[in-house]
């Protein structure tokens, strides 16, 4: 399927800031499952844009804005072609555990097996593992399907019950959260079984006109687990889906920490507010994506640098 | 001077006496001078030396205390002497070791051959908190990761030198080495003059040459700066000292900024481009965008400028993986793997504790061994078995069981001793040696280093923060 | 030079100047009050001193002891000598490599020596005068060491700039407060009946001897004000301080070749010519308070201008050049 994605990010500051430095992970990936045919990025205020590929293969743009500004707008437009997903078998033979362990031994999966910032073992996670009874007694694919289904059945999708930097325990204890929380929790569970697992940030296109999904789930997060003979397979625990041709990957990493769409630092002692608007359209059919364009507000991932020199000027 | 200054057992090598009762030939003149000097005269010279340090403000800061944090690093008057032959071995051994470790760093941040060949376990590298994933595939200027190194050596009972620790991040102490020499020349001018000691005063010049070699652009004179965490850092004195010696600007993170991937410093005459940064700031704090977002000491965007080759950093980011104390055990294999040579300097036997049989042995023998946390330095996070209480041993037992990867154990070493003037008496104390290695267009090592002294009787801890002192080190 | 270093030098010098000024004023005040007995007079003078030094009021019934403690020893009081010395040392510590070892060692020793003295030491032993002298001489020796060990580079100029802008600002304010009080006297403008107060004012500026050399010991109030405000040769006069500020700013402009300094230059040039061309009769007629307040305001703007041009200038403007 072909998609056109429009993504607007706006930072508004309660007062002027200077010397903003920012990194973006917003350009959809090109890999065996999808092809990003074009990507454009516009900034206001304008700045020179630089690019590099990070250690996970994500394309990162970065820039700095030295002058005073009280608003920063980032607009991206992408065209992506997503392939038909591979047909997954219902299950894998039990022997695939052995095969998996052998492949891990040989390959470089360390990043996606070791604990990371969000996805690490905690007591609530251990309790959850027991509740799920997720052990290597079943074949890996069946087990992953079970874990993937667990969230929709047992967790409530509830925006604003967690923060962007909440540890997984918050969502586990209150049994609610958003896609980011479910992905981080699932990663920790799957790695606990010694299956390599990674975080994917991206977009989800909603096929129907069902208004139960609001705009913010157009930006989405899910996981990919590595399985013998199948490679990286995407699971979407929020929607209990095997990732198909409606999931558009933007960046992969160990967990959310590695792939925030924006990460920035500026000088100024201000409150900052982030609004995001996303529109995903099927390019061929001109079918309008289910949710209308409207901004959502949530806490942004920015850090304030206090202007030290100006502070010093307050000596008197 | 007679050898009756301490209760040294026969296993310990003494710098002045070796294992005999007579001073070694190269120590004779020092021994005679000190024996022939009236005691009051000796004390007076010691006081003059102390005063000179105080007045120069040569101080360090002790962590974990709020008041009165500035202290003088105690200086011992009696020099430590190393013969030319001994030094040649040390020099060759260090060059070999540093070359191999630099290969290792390049390898693990690129192809990872040594890991795939099974010489060093993947896990050891990937679980190290100093391993920087962000450095994967990044090419550093001239392929040099470790431009400034301080390697801790000890002399063991057979009189040979062994490596105790590699310091590949931001080794400190070189200013004390230089200051000790200045004071020594004033206190014992003739004795020093007669000995034909190799000079060390060119260290600043050599460091500058090393840094200049890293400059990304050769078409103009590079602007080199020393980046300090600031006045509250324990080694701040050294930062100012080195900046002055090299005639370069001493900057803090807030003096620098990145615009369009280029680093600038803010001066009264406007912005000035920066080409090479000798940074005395840990990886974690260097760039809040790339690493710890709460760092107020770093420069946002610095890592991106570095990645794109617009600025050089010494040392490179991510070198801490190679001085991890668990990795230390593999250094002989690392030397063999990259250079196909036998190590010239020995390693100390090291038990890695994630191995079950090692751990069992260590836990049963905590009272005889030294246990170190792998990521700590400066003598913090250490258990010295023979000097520890049962409670301390029990605490370390728990710590080890909790996170075995985080600890290593080594036999308690018979560190060599040297005569020191302590509380008006000449007596023996344990010493080590930290030579300083510079790696630019070539590897150079100033002849000598910092001899650190464990001032407490019988103590093996030489760190300045833990009651250590220092001596001038003479290489003949 | 790094902007941060300029900032530290500037403040190092300002704080040290302030400590010296405070020591001088306190020393004199304690001395003068030996001869005044009424509580009311004493309190009035104390309040004038506090106000003149930008210090916060003290609780009612505070004694001379309390005032001395607050203005000299209380580390938490922003106007105290100890606070100023700590700040001066802290600023110096941050830029130790920029000043000479002699300067650092002296300032460090001064700080350690002075701050270990307690109010009770000096009060019981009646050694307040020696204490204040130590502070004054210590500060002066620092400037002497600077003069004899520093190149006349940018560092030097920022030290001078800090010293003289501090002096001009504090002296304008101090003069304003003191003269306003003296002018309330029924005897004004005759000096004779308030003789000690006028002498005290001169002495607060170490100006008594210098004044006598110019005008003889015949004290006249308008001449005293003229001398402290407009004299071109006396180093504690406001005009002298502003001349020095301008010289340093011109030197810095030349050394840095900064092109954004035109406005700053105009501000200080205007202040200097105001002082140069004013006649004391006109100033008094138009109101001394207005004139002195005008100087303080202009100094504040010049201070801000220094920051805008050399220290915390906007990056985008610097890049554009």
């Amino acid at each position: 399927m072909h998609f056109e994605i429009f993504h607007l990010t706006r930072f508004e500051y309660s007062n002027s800031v200077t010397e903003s430095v920012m990194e973006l992970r917003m350009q959809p990936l090109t890999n065996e499952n999808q092809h990003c045919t074009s990507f454009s990025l516009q900034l206001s205020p304008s700045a020179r844009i630089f690019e590099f590929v990070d250690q996970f293969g994500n394309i990162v743009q970065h820039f700095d804005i030295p002058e005073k500004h009280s608003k920063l707008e980032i607009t991206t437009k992408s065209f992506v072609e997503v392939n038909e997903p591979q047909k997954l078998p219902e299950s894998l033979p039990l022997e695939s555990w052995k095969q998996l362990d052998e492949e891990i031994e040989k390959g470089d999966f360390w990043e996606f097996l070791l604990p990371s910032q969000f996805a690490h073992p905690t007591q609530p996670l251990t309790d959850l593992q027991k509740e799920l009874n997720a052990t290597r007694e079943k074949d890996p694919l069946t087990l992953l399907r079970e874990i993937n289904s667990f969230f929709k059945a047992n967790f409530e999708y509830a925006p604003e019950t967690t923060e962007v930097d909440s540890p997984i325990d918050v969502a586990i204890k209150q049994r609610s959260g958003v896609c980011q929380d479910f992905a981080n929790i699932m990663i920790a569970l799957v790695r606990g079984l010694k299956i390599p697992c990674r975080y994917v940030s991206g977009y989800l296109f909603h096929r129907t006109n069902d208004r139960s999904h609001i705009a913010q789930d157009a930006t989405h997060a899910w996981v990919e687990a590595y399985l013998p003979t199948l490679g990286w397979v995407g699971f979407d625990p929020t929607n209990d889906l095997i990732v198909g041709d409606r999931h558009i990957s933007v960046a992969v990493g160990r967990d959310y920490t590695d792939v925030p769409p924006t990460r920035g630092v500026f000088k100024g002692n201000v409150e900052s507010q982030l609004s995001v608007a996303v529109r995903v359209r099927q390019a061929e059919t001109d079918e309008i994506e289910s949710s209308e364009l409207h901004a959502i507000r949530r806490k942004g991932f920015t850090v304030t640098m206090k202007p030290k020199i100006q502070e010093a000027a307050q000596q008197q | 001077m007679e050898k009756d200054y301490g209760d040294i057992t026969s296993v310990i090598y003494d710098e002045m006496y070796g294992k005999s009762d007579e001073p070694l030939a190269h120590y004779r003149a020092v021994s005679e001078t000190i024996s022939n000097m009236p005691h009051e005269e000796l004390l007076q010279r010691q006081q003059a030396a102390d005063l000179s340090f105080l007045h120069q403000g040569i101080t360090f800061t002790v962590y974990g205390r709020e008041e009165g944090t500035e202290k003088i690093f105690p200086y011992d008057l009696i020099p430590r002497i190393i013969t030319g032959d001994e030094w040649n071995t040390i020099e060759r051994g260090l060059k070999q070791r540093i070359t191999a470790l630099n290969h290792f760093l390049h390898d693990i941040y690129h192809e990872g051959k040594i890991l795939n060949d099974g010489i060093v376990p993947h896990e050891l590298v990937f679980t190290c908190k100093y391993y920087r994933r962000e450095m994967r595939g990044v090419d550093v200027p001239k392929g040099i990761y470790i431009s400034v190194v301080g390697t801790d050596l000890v002399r063991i009972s057979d009189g040979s030198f062994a490596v105790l620790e590699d310091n590949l991040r931001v080794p400190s102490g070189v200013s004390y080495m230089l200051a000790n020499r200045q004071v020594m020349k004033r206190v014992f001018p003739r004795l020093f003059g007669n000995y034909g000691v190799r000079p060390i005063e060119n260290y600043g010049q050599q460091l500058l040459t090393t840094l200049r070699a890293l400059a990304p652009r050769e078409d103009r004179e590079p602007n080199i700066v020393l980046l300090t965490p600031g006045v509250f850092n324990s080694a701040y004195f050294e930062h100012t000292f080195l900046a002055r010696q090299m005639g370069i600007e001493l900057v803090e993170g807030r003096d620098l900024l990145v615009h369009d991937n280029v680093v600038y410093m803010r001066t009264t005459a406007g912005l000035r481009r920066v080409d090479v940064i000798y940074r005395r700031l840990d990886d974690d704090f260097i760039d809040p965008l790339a690493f710890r977002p709460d760092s107020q000491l770093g420069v946002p965007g610095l890592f991106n400028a570095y990645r794109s080759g617009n600025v050089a950093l010494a040392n490179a980011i991510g070198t801490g993986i190679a001085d991890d104390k668990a990795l230390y055990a593999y250094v002989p294999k690392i030397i063999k793997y990259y250079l196909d040579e036998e190590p010239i300097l020995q390693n100390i036997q090291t038990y890695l504790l994630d191995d079950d049989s090692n751990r069992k042995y260590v836990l049963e023998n905590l009272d005889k061994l030294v246990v170190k946390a792998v990521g700590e330095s400066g003598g913090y996070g250490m258990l010295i078995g023979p000097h520890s209480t049962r409670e301390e041993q029990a605490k370390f037992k728990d710590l080890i069981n909790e996170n075995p990867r985080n600890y290593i154990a080594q036999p308690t070493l018979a560190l060599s001793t040297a005569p020191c003037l302590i509380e008006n008496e000449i007596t023996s104390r344990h010493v080590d040696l930290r030579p300083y290695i510079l790696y630019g267009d070539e590897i150079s090592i100033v002849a000598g280093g910092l001899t650190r002294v464990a001032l407490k009787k019988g103590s093996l801890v030489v760190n300045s923060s833990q009651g250590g002192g220092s001596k001038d080190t003479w290489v003949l | 030079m790094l902007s941060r270093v300029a900032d530290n030098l500037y403040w190092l010098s300002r704080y040290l100047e302030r400590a010296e000024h405070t020591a001088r004023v306190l020393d004199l005040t304690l001395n003068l009050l030996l001869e005044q007995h009424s509580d009311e007079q004493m309190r009035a003078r104390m309040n004038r001193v506090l106000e003149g030094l930008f210090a916060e009021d003290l609780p009612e019934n505070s004694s001379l002891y309390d005032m001395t403690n607050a203005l000299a020893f209380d580390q938490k009081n922003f106007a105290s000598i100890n606070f100023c010395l700590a700040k001066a040392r802290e600023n110096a510590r941050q830029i130790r490599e920029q000043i000479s070892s002699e300067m650092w060692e002296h300032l460090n020793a001064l700080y350690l020596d002075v701050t270990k003295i307690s109010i009770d030491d000096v009060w019981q032993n009646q050694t307040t005068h020696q204490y204040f002298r130590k502070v004054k001489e210590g500060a002066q020796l620092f400037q002497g060491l600077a003069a004899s060990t520093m190149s006349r580079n940018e560092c030097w100029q920022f030290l001078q700039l800090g010293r003289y802008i501090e002096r001009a600002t504090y002296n304008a304010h101090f003069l304003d407060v003191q003269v306003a009080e003296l002018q309330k006297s029924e005897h004004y403008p005759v000096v004779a009946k308030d003789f000690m107060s006028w002498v005290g004012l001169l002495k607060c500026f170490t100006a008594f001897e210098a004044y006598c050399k110019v005008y003889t010991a015949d004290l006249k109030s308008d001449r005293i004000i003229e001398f402290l405000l407009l004299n071109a040769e006396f180093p504690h006069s406001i005009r002298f301080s502003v001349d020095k500020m301008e010289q340093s700013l011109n030197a810095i402009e030349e050394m840095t070749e900064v092109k954004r300094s035109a406005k700053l230059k105009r501000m200080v040039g205007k202040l200097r010519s105001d002082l140069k061309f004013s006649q004391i009769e006109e100033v008094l007629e138009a109101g001394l308070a207005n004139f002195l307040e005008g100087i303080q305001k202009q100094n504040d703007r010049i201070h801000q201008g220094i920051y805008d041009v050399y220290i915390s200038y906007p990056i985008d403007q610097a890049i554009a050049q």
Side-chain angles (χ1 to χ4, degrees):
Chain A
M1 266 199 268
H2 292 260
F3 296 104
E4 181 201 70
I5 303 143
F6 168 87
H7 189 157
L8 170 74
T9 309
R10 182 187 294 136
F11 291 93
E12 283 166 292
Y13 307 108
S14 58
N15 212 327
S16 291
V17 303
T18 59
E19 296 174 51
S20 282
V21 183
M22 193 166 270
E23 276 184 7
L24 310 176
R25 282 171 175 79
M26 297 185 131
Q27 177 168 342
L29 290 165
T30 291
N31 55 26
E32 60 272 26
N33 301 325
Q34 66 178 41
H35 185 70
C36 176
T37 53
S38 93
F39 175 75
S40 72
L41 167 62
Q42 277 187 328
L43 299 173
S44 165
S46 65
R48 202 172 144 198
I49 297 163
F50 296 83
E51 195 175 284
F52 69 92
V53 178
D54 74 9
Q55 71 262 36
F56 303 109
N58 306 312
I59 299 160
V60 185
Q61 279 85 18
H62 63 98
F63 57 88
D64 73 281
I65 299 170
E67 74 261 28
K68 262 191 190 177
H69 55 286
S70 53
K71 190 165 93 175
L72 170 58
E73 262 184 17
I74 301 158
T75 316
T76 68
K77 204 170 165 189
S78 325
F79 286 93
V80 186
E81 189 183 346
V82 182
N83 303 336
E84 277 287 317
Q86 61 173 332
K87 289 275 177 287
L88 275 192
E90 198 46 48
S91 63
L92 286 174
L94 260 177
E95 298 80 68
S96 36
W97 283 115
K98 197 163 155 265
Q99 204 182 337
L100 177 65
D101 290 344
E102 280 165 11
E103 285 191 41
I104 288 172
E105 188 69 27
K106 273 182 273 164
D108 179 3
F109 295 102
W110 293 96
E111 303 284 29
F112 305 121
L113 280 169
L114 292 167
S116 52
Q117 175 93 28
F118 285 106
H120 61 268
T122 61
Q123 190 54 48
L125 186 85
T126 313
D127 297 343
L128 196 68
Q129 257 159 349
K130 280 191 197 129
E131 184 181 336
L132 256 158
N133 193 22
T135 64
R136 282 190 165 201
E137 278 158 21
K138 294 171 191 142
D139 77 277
L141 183 54
T142 307
L143 204 50
L144 284 168
R145 284 182 192 276
E146 278 180 24
I147 298 173
N148 196 36
S149 303
F150 181 80
F151 290 90
K152 200 158 185 203
N154 294 283
F155 279 68
E156 187 192 352
Y157 182 87
E160 286 168 37
T161 55
T162 53
E163 303 271 348
V164 75
D165 51 0
S166 296
I168 53 173
D169 287 0
V170 176
I172 296 177
K173 282 182 192 152
Q174 70 193 19
R175 292 286 160 135
S176 68
V178 294
C179 54
Q180 181 194 317
D181 304 302
F182 304 152
N184 282 334
I185 297 169
M186 179 153 174
I187 290 169
L189 288 168
V190 174
R191 286 185 195 160
L193 292 159
K194 297 264 181 324
I195 303 174
C197 191
R198 65 190 187 188
Y199 187 100
V200 188
S201 78
Y203 304 102
L204 176 61
F205 172 69
H206 297 291
R207 200 189 303 266
T208 62
N209 275 324
D210 177 2
R211 291 296 172 101
S212 66
H213 290 280
I214 54 168
Q216 75 198 66
D217 6 5
T219 64
H220 195 46
W222 57 95
V223 310
E224 284 177 355
Y226 185 83
L227 290 171
T229 69
L230 300 173
W232 290 103
V233 179
F235 296 88
D236 178 352
T238 309
N239 298 308
D240 186 14
L241 284 173
I242 301 293
V243 167
D245 57 3
R246 292 187 294 125
H247 288 78
I248 303 144
S249 313
V250 172
V252 298
R254 284 164 297 169
D255 60 29
Y256 176 74
T257 326
D258 290 332
V259 295
T262 60
R263 171 149 57 199
V265 170
F266 55 76
K267 276 193 186 168
N269 220 340
V270 298
E271 297 280 309
S272 112
Q273 202 159 44
L274 166 63
S275 356
V276 179
V278 174
R279 186 185 64 198
V280 182
R281 279 203 317 188
Q282 206 172 336
E284 286 162 328
T285 59
D286 267 9
E287 183 188 334
I288 305 293
E289 169 268 348
S290 59
S291 58
E292 276 169 15
L293 185 64
H294 71 262
I296 60 110
R297 291 183 189 283
R298 62 179 175 142
K299 195 178 154 209
F301 201 88
T302 51
V303 182
T304 311
M305 294 277 284
K306 282 187 197 143
K308 289 246 167 111
I309 289 196
Q310 265 147 36
E311 264 175 22
Q314 311 286 309
Q315 301 195 71
Q316 45 172 299
Chain B
M1 191 158 64
E2 285 180 21
K3 188 191 178 183
D4 58 354
Y5 53 73
D7 50 343
I8 18 179
T9 60
S10 58
V11 293
I12 294 172
Y13 185 94
D14 187 80
E15 294 295 326
M16 187 184 279
Y17 294 95
K19 291 194 159 186
S20 70
D21 288 331
E22 289 294 317
L24 299 167
H26 61 275
Y27 252 108
R28 226 161 270 155
V30 163
S31 174
E32 275 163 22
T33 307
I34 290 171
S35 314
N36 295 337
M37 190 173 277
H39 201 60
E40 292 68 42
E41 173 72 25
L42 201 56
L43 291 184
Q44 255 171 30
R45 293 196 187 196
Q46 177 74 52
Q47 277 162 7
D50 288 348
L51 217 63
S52 159
F53 279 103
L54 184 69
H55 283 168
Q56 290 180 62
I58 302 178
T59 55
F60 67 93
T61 312
V62 183
Y63 288 108
R65 288 195 214 168
E66 282 190 22
E67 296 281 331
T69 46
E70 272 173 83
K71 295 186 96 184
I72 302 172
F73 192 26
Y75 167 76
D76 186 73
L77 216 49
I78 308 172
R80 191 262 184 95
I81 308 175
I82 293 168
T83 65
D85 282 349
E86 287 170 341
W87 179 254
N88 289 342
T89 310
I90 292 175
E91 198 171 24
R92 282 191 304 124
L94 289 174
K95 281 185 179 171
Q96 179 197 49
R97 196 172 173 100
I98 298 314
T99 308
L101 287 171
N102 199 65
H103 279 301
F104 172 74
L105 283 164
H106 184 273
D107 189 15
I108 57 162
Y109 288 122
H110 290 81
E111 304 87 351
K113 281 187 279 197
I114 198 168
L115 308 175
N116 297 332
D117 287 345
I119 310 293
V120 172
H122 283 94
E123 201 160 350
L124 196 68
V125 172
F126 289 116
T127 56
C128 174
K129 69 172 170 178
Y130 296 112
Y131 176 71
R132 294 286 167 205
R133 289 151 178 86
E134 296 83 351
M135 283 296 287
R136 297 260 294 255
V138 174
D139 289 316
V140 304
K142 302 218 164 137
I144 301 167
Y145 285 81
I146 38 179
S147 307
V148 186
V149 177
T151 302
D152 292 345
L153 304 177
V154 293
R155 201 202 281 265
I156 50 182
S157 49
D158 66 359
S160 69
F161 283 92
V163 178
L164 185 64
E165 223 171 278
D166 300 287
N167 294 288
L168 307 176
R169 281 168 279 156
V170 283
S172 62
V174 75
S175 58
Y176 300 124
M177 171 183 89
L178 297 169
N180 286 353
R181 177 60 53 86
Q182 277 180 20
V183 170
M184 177 56 81
K185 281 180 168 173
R186 251 178 273 157
V187 180
F188 287 121
R190 253 175 306 143
L191 179 66
F192 181 85
N194 292 337
Y195 250 93
V197 178
R198 291 209 224 166
I200 56 170
E201 283 80 358
N202 54 347
Y203 179 81
Q205 185 57 46
Q206 284 191 19
L207 177 55
L208 190 62
T209 308
T210 304
L211 296 171
R212 197 176 277 137
L214 302 177
R217 295 161 46 140
E218 283 170 4
D219 55 334
R220 61 193 164 88
E221 186 59 21
N223 181 20
I224 303 170
V225 299
L226 193 157
L227 174 61
T228 171
V231 45
F232 298 106
N233 185 267
S234 59
Y236 183 72
F237 159 72
E238 178 156 306
H239 306 161
T240 64
F241 183 92
L242 289 175
R244 202 164 43 215
Q245 291 264 318
M246 290 188 277
I248 63 173
E249 210 66 77
L250 178 71
V251 302
E252 296 180 17
R254 56 194 160 127
D255 296 323
L256 301 182
L257 62 107
V258 177
H259 173 63
D260 285 354
N261 245 359
V262 171
V263 183
Y264 295 93
M265 65 181 185
R266 188 192 271 271
T267 77
T268 51
L271 299 178
R272 218 177 132 205
R273 185 172 175 154
V274 173
D275 303 291
V276 182
I277 302 176
Y278 175 36
R279 48 102 174 200
R280 300 289 302 252
L281 188 60
D282 288 337
D283 290 351
D284 267 343
F285 295 97
I286 206 156
D287 178 356
L289 193 64
F291 304 109
R292 270 177 67 159
D294 59 340
S295 169
Q296 298 270 330
L297 303 171
V299 188
L302 178 58
F303 187 66
N304 284 336
Y306 177 59
R307 186 198 332 257
S308 47
N310 289 339
V311 69
L313 294 177
N315 288 345
I317 287 170
T319 57
I321 170 67
D323 69 14
D324 181 275
K325 290 189 174 69
L327 190 97
Y328 163 89
Y330 290 90
V331 175
K333 287 184 184 166
I334 290 172
I335 293 173
K336 183 93 180 128
Y337 181 80
Y338 293 109
L339 307 178
D340 196 21
E341 291 171 11
E342 291 304 319
I344 297 165
L345 292 170
Q346 310 168 50
N347 242 21
I348 306 295
Q349 187 189 4
T350 301
Y351 302 98
L352 299 178
L353 299 178
D354 40 10
D355 176 282
D356 289 343
S357 65
N358 275 350
R359 186 165 68 248
K360 184 162 179 291
Y361 170 79
V362 168
L363 290 178
E364 282 166 6
N365 292 281
L366 277 178
D367 55 335
K368 301 185 190 74
L369 298 167
V370 176
V371 181
K372 296 175 180 173
V374 294
E376 299 283 340
S377 59
Y380 293 94
M382 233 166 114
L383 176 83
I384 298 186
H387 299 172
S388 63
T389 63
R390 280 181 185 284
E391 288 77 46
E392 284 164 342
Q393 289 169 24
K395 195 183 109 198
F396 266 79
K397 193 170 180 171
D398 292 344
L399 288 171
I400 291 168
N401 281 325
E402 218 167 90
N403 189 359
R405 163 68 178 90
N406 204 32
Y407 294 90
I408 56 144
Q410 290 171 341
T412 310
L413 288 176
L415 248 61
S416 65
T417 54
C420 298
L421 181 64
I422 301 219
E423 286 168 3
N424 307 343
E425 240 181 285
I426 293 177
T427 167
S428 79
R429 289 292 185 267
H430 292 289
V431 295
D432 78 349
L433 175 66
R434 176 181 285 187
Y436 293 92
I437 304 111
L438 296 171
Y439 191 169
D441 284 326
E442 53 185 23
I443 297 182
S444 63
I445 311 175
V446 280
L450 183 68
T451 291
R452 297 186 297 177
V453 184
L455 292 175
K456 254 194 280 166
K457 195 171 179 61
S459 166
L460 296 169
V461 187
V462 294
N463 304 85
S464 57
S465 46
Q466 311 267 315
S470 73
K471 281 172 170 295
D472 191 21
T473 310
W474 296 3
V475 173
L476 308 178
Chain C
M1 189 204 299
L2 289 175
S3 298
R4 173 179 52 85
V5 171
D7 186 45
N8 286 133
L9 286 161
Y10 176 80
W11 279 108
L12 152 60
S13 203
R14 284 198 76 153
Y15 277 117
L16 201 60
E17 177 70 21
R18 198 175 297 177
E20 184 193 336
H21 181 71
T22 305
R24 203 167 45 233
V25 169
L26 278 180
D27 191 17
L28 254 142
T29 307
L30 293 182
N31 189 282
L32 284 175
L33 287 173
L34 292 175
E35 300 176 25
Q36 279 181 339
H37 299 292
S38 108
D39 277 5
E40 201 178 314
Q41 280 172 318
M42 186 185 79
R43 212 145 279 139
R45 183 165 272 277
M46 271 172 52
N47 286 338
R48 251 188 299 152
V49 167
L50 287 163
E51 195 192 338
L53 295 176
F54 293 103
E56 283 182 17
D57 286 343
L58 293 175
E60 280 205 29
N61 299 324
S62 292
S63 61
L64 274 179
Y65 173 95
D66 296 329
M67 179 185 73
T68 309
N69 189 39
L71 291 179
F73 296 94
D74 184 355
Q75 282 271 15
K76 293 195 185 85
N77 190 326
F78 294 161
S80 80
I81 291 172
N82 276 355
F83 180 85
C84 291
L85 284 180
K87 278 287 200 181
R89 175 183 182 259
E90 197 48 49
N91 277 289
R93 203 161 102 88
Q94 309 244 12
I95 46 152
R96 227 160 81 169
E97 72 286 358
Q98 302 288 339
I99 55 178
S100 69
S101 310
E102 287 87 350
M103 290 162 72
W104 162 252
E105 284 169 27
H106 170 71
L107 183 59
N108 192 35
L110 178 68
Y111 163 80
L112 294 171
D113 276 2
V114 170
T115 50
K116 76 171 183 236
I117 301 171
S118 77
I119 172 109
D120 292 318
D121 290 341
V122 299
W123 210 257
Q124 274 155 23
N125 302 331
Q126 307 192 8
T127 52
T128 48
H129 176 62
Q130 285 84 335
Y131 164 81
F132 291 124
R133 205 164 136 173
K134 194 185 196 79
V135 176
K136 283 187 291 183
E137 289 181 355
Q140 285 159 359
L141 183 51
F142 179 85
Q143 295 292 359
L145 285 168
S148 69
T149 60
M150 276 186 99
S151 301
R152 296 310 191 252
N153 55 14
E154 242 186 295
C155 287
W156 165 262
Q157 298 299 351
F158 271 101
L159 277 180
Q160 297 306 300
L161 186 57
R163 181 188 196 186
Y164 286 107
I165 198 170
E166 176 71 17
R167 191 174 286 180
T169 309
Y170 261 59
N171 283 2
H173 180 69
F174 194 78
L175 195 61
D176 186 13
V177 172
Q178 303 302 317
V179 173
E181 191 62 28
L182 285 162
Q183 283 176 333
K184 282 185 206 155
S185 159
E186 52 187 315
H187 312 295
Y188 181 82
V190 178
V191 167
K193 291 275 170 60
D194 296 315
F195 185 75
M196 283 316 291
S197 295
W198 285 99
V199 170
L201 180 61
L202 277 169
K203 284 192 169 171
C204 280
F205 290 76
T206 49
F208 182 65
E209 288 172 21
Y211 174 91
C212 294
K213 285 199 182 111
V214 179
Y215 297 109
T216 74
D218 180 18
L219 299 191
K220 292 223 161 53
S221 56
D222 54 349
R223 282 189 191 158
I224 292 175
I225 295 166
E226 179 182 36
F227 189 75
L228 296 178
L229 183 59
L230 302 177
N231 189 285
E233 286 150 10
F234 179 63
H236 280 272
S237 85
I238 294 168
R239 175 168 169 203
F240 185 94
S241 305
V242 171
D243 285 353
K244 284 287 183 187
M245 272 163 58
E246 187 181 38
Q247 283 167 20
S248 287
L249 278 170
N250 286 343
I252 291 166
E253 185 190 26
E254 216 169 278
M255 288 175 191
T256 57
E257 297 174 20
V258 157
K259 305 209 166 43
R260 291 168 282 122
S261 55
K263 188 175 157 203
L264 175 60
K265 215 175 157 166
R266 267 203 311 277
M267 288 194 289
V268 71
K270 180 177 176 301
L271 177 57
R272 196 249 308 137
S273 53
D274 280 357
L275 287 161
K276 184 174 176 190
F277 298 114
S278 288
Q279 299 293 321
I280 191 63
E281 295 78 16
E282 293 166 11
V283 171
L284 290 173
E285 205 179 292
L288 180 65
N290 279 340
F291 192 76
L292 289 171
E293 277 157 25
I295 292 173
Q296 290 173 60
K297 272 194 198 131
Q298 291 183 73
N299 270 339
D300 288 347
R301 280 200 289 271
I302 291 165
H303 167 84
Q304 192 52 49
I306 294 167
Y307 269 74
D308 291 345
V309 176
Y310 296 108
I311 296 176
S312 54
Y313 50 81
I315 299 298
D316 44 319
Q317 285 175 26
I319 287 164
Q321 282 177 359

